Amino acid sequence: MPGNTTAGSTLLDDELRRILMEREQECLQLQAINFTPPPEPYCRMTFDGWSCWPNTPAGTTAYAPCPNFITGFDASLKAHKYCESNGTWFRHPESDQVWSNYTTCVNFEDLSWQQGINGIYEAGYAISLVALLLSLGILTYFRSLRCARTTLHMNLFASFAVNNALWLVWYRCIVANTDLLLNNGIICRLLHIVLHYFLLTNYAWMLCEGFYLHTLLVSAFTSEHKLVKWLMGLGWPVPAVIVTIYACLRATSDDPVDTEQCWINEGNFMMVLVYPVCVSTMLNLLFLFNIVRVLLMKLRAGPTIGTQPSRSIRQAFRATLLLVPLLGLHYLLTPFRPPKNHPWEQFYEVLSAITASFQGLCVAILFCFCNGEVIAQFKRKWEGTALLRNRANSCTATTVSFIRSTAGPMPGEEKV
């Protein structure tokens, strides 16, 4: 509140002081030219530290636009200040100081909506994280599944898992902590950079999946081992270069939108991250279109030896075909974001929250839980366990029968 003019401000201290001085000067100028005060008693014009309040008749309320430099305030709303019947401004009963009511500047309906959206993000990231960790455990446990394609899957799962865990930390520890946002420490800004690095690795490894399938199907004699090594150089280092450029641009910007509040706002350089994601998604779509063309040609060629694509390639292709459009959906829709208070704004926010937070779950389902080879391994494991259990039961029955035959009949049994 005005007693502490820096409370809640998202601006730099120098910038905030400049704005407040300008507002105070404007208030003094209005006071100087106001020659016709209302009849007595009335509350005199005053500047409370944030806003200028005009001469107000006793027993009435003055209104002023909410300041736009305070975090969480909606500038379209109005604050108010009550003039007592004796011609003095209202004093707060607890502090006994002259008080302006800025509580009406918070749009609680919008705040509740944003909290609901954050809840979707948190639930989606948590569910996805559990699914991804299970997938990594499954692929690690079954050593017979180890191959070049599985190596790509595991890197993709690891990228998504770390990214989802960082998003949960971001929403729990940063977004919900106003003091931390206002302090704008180096740790929270570093978390922002690391988080967006792993976000880019998600799309980089999806591009690796698409490129891998395309190369195997188009160039059948490519060494998978060498191909995976090259893709390792794409999946991890390239996003690091992009995020470094992004971080340098934001750190050297003079715009407070880029530098304040732990970089929670999108800022002026978000396209540095969005463009690579869109390029990755479009390249994957091109790969998939060409894969469809090659698959159709081979399937039409009939059962000639060497022309039929393997079952595993067809399964991986179907999974990638379903996943690629989903993975880049909310970034491909970024240029079409509805403006504030547009009828489609809430639908867009919900769609973005769902597609972004549940990506990891989709990856785990399509590349692990619904993978034919993984399902086959579980069946073999189950059948092997059932066979061992049957053998153990058979062995126990044989042993009991043998003991009874050598020891004679049990009491109550007739000896034949």
Side-chain angles (χ1 to χ4, degrees), residues 89-387:
W89 291 111
F90 170 78
R91 290 179 178 271
H92 197 280
E94 293 182 4
S95 63
D96 196 35
Q97 293 182 350
V98 175
W99 186 69
S100 307
N101 192 340
Y102 287 93
T103 59
T104 54
C105 289
V106 179
N107 189 333
F108 289 100
E109 183 178 350
D110 183 67
L111 177 63
S112 176
W113 168 256
Q114 291 302 326
Q115 289 174 342
I117 293 295
N118 289 348
I120 295 176
Y121 276 111
E122 289 186 30
Y125 285 128
I127 294 171
S128 295
L129 179 59
V130 172
L132 290 163
L133 292 177
L134 284 174
S135 300
L136 282 170
I138 290 169
L139 295 182
T140 303
Y141 179 76
F142 291 112
R143 296 183 179 275
S144 57
L145 292 174
R146 299 289 178 84
C147 62
R149 182 165 51 83
T150 307
T151 301
L152 295 181
H153 291 347
M154 293 183 73
N155 279 277
L156 180 65
F157 293 160
S159 169
F160 268 99
V162 176
N163 180 249
N164 287 2
L166 289 173
W167 273 117
L168 288 173
V169 172
W170 179 260
Y171 279 103
R172 284 290 177 179
C173 301
I174 306 298
V175 175
N177 192 332
T178 306
D179 293 336
L180 193 62
L181 288 172
L182 295 176
N183 290 333
N184 193 35
I186 185 66
I187 299 299
C188 66
R189 283 178 284 165
L190 184 62
L191 176 62
H192 173 93
I193 295 170
V194 175
L195 189 155
H196 282 81
Y197 163 70
F198 280 100
L199 178 64
L200 284 187
T201 60
N202 296 167
Y203 296 94
W205 279 108
M206 273 307 305
L207 180 60
C208 291
E209 293 272 1
F211 183 75
Y212 173 82
L213 282 175
H214 182 268
T215 304
L216 285 189
L217 208 56
V218 175
S219 305
F221 300 102
T222 302
S223 169
E224 292 188 41
H225 183 68
K226 290 183 179 179
L227 180 58
V228 169
K229 279 189 173 182
W230 279 102
L231 294 178
M232 285 287 186
L234 170 64
W236 298 113
V238 172
V241 175
I242 297 171
V243 169
T244 301
I245 296 172
Y246 166 77
C248 291
L249 290 172
R250 288 202 71 156
T252 56
S253 174
D254 295 328
D255 192 338
V257 174
D258 292 319
T259 57
E260 292 298 300
Q261 278 192 290
C262 295
W263 298 5
I264 194 172
N265 298 311
E266 289 188 355
N268 300 311
F269 304 104
M270 184 54 64
M271 288 303 170
V272 176
L273 303 179
V274 173
Y275 286 148
V277 169
C278 292
V279 169
S280 170
T281 306
M282 295 307 297
L283 284 175
N284 248 345
L285 289 174
L286 291 175
F287 288 149
L288 288 173
F289 288 147
N290 197 41
I291 290 171
V292 170
R293 183 185 64 83
V294 174
L295 280 175
L296 290 176
M297 288 175 58
K298 290 192 174 186
L299 291 172
R300 287 173 181 172
T304 308
I305 297 175
T307 60
Q308 289 288 345
S310 68
R311 181 171 176 267
S312 61
I313 287 181
R314 290 200 300 269
Q315 287 177 338
F317 161 70
R318 284 196 295 268
T320 309
L321 182 64
L322 291 171
L323 192 60
V324 168
L326 174 65
L327 282 178
L329 180 60
H330 62 295
Y331 275 107
L332 291 175
L333 294 177
T334 297
F336 309 103
R337 181 192 297 273
K340 192 71 174 174
N341 299 322
H342 190 276
W344 289 91
E345 181 190 11
Q346 292 189 348
F347 173 77
Y348 179 91
E349 289 187 9
V350 172
L351 181 63
S352 295
I354 292 173
T355 54
S357 61
F358 284 96
Q359 286 176 347
L361 177 64
C362 294
V363 168
I365 290 174
L366 293 174
F367 284 122
C368 182
F369 300 148
C370 292
N371 185 291
E373 295 174 9
V374 172
I375 294 172
Q377 286 295 326
F378 270 106
K379 285 182 178 178
R380 291 193 196 100
K381 186 71 175 176
W382 173 258
E383 290 170 358
T385 304
L387 180 62

Side-chain angles (χ1 to χ4, degrees), residues 382-398:
W382 173 258
E383 290 170 358
T385 304
L387 180 62
L388 288 174
R389 191 164 54 247
N390 291 336
R391 285 181 178 178
N393 293 337
S394 175
C395 180
T396 302
T398 304

